[in-house]
Structures are given as C-alpha cells and as structure tokens.
Amino acid sequence: MCMSLTEKQRVREVADRKEDLKNYLYRRGLTEAPDGRDIEQLSLFSLEHVVITVRANTLKG
C-alpha cells in the first residue's frame, strides 16, 4: 500500500505528538497510566487524557 505525502505527514505528526506526551510523563516520573497500562502502549487519545489529568492534579496542588 502506498501512502500519499499527506498521510505520511499525518502519521509522522501523530508519532511526534505521542513521543512529546510520553516524554512529558516520564519527566514527571510516570511510567504507567492511572489504570496500570504502560505509557508506551497507550494511544494518542489515552496519552492526551493522562497528560490532562496530570496537569489538572498539579494545578490543584
């Protein structure tokens, strides 16, 4: 299957975003999601959700 340039760019952007989110969580000492799943196995949606939760909890103090 041959991907178009836009599809390749989208795949690369998703991979880059996932890596950024994982790095953010690792810097905060997290290697697992609150439900016990490994950070490396999470989808982009799940990573976004975990990061939002972490940021909200950080703001609460």
Side-chain angles (χ1 to χ4, degrees):
M1 184 176 144
C2 186
M3 291 196 312
S4 70
L5 181 58
T6 24
E7 289 171 331
K8 288 179 184 178
Q9 288 172 330
R10 182 182 49 81
V11 169
R12 186 172 27 250
E13 288 172 3
V14 167
D16 289 347
R17 179 66 178 153
K18 283 178 70 173
E19 197 62 34
D20 290 343
L21 294 171
K22 289 188 284 188
N23 288 334
Y24 174 84
L25 294 171
Y26 287 140
R27 283 192 307 271
R28 274 137 191 86
L30 296 172
T31 58
E32 290 184 342
D35 63 5
R37 292 183 291 165
D38 183 37
I39 295 293
E40 290 293 327
Q41 303 303 317
L42 297 178
S43 66
L44 177 59
F45 177 81
S46 295
L47 283 168
E48 293 277 6
H49 188 314
V50 172
V51 167
I52 290 168
T53 303
V54 167
R55 288 181 178 163
N57 290 339
T58 301
L59 291 175
K60 286 180 184 176

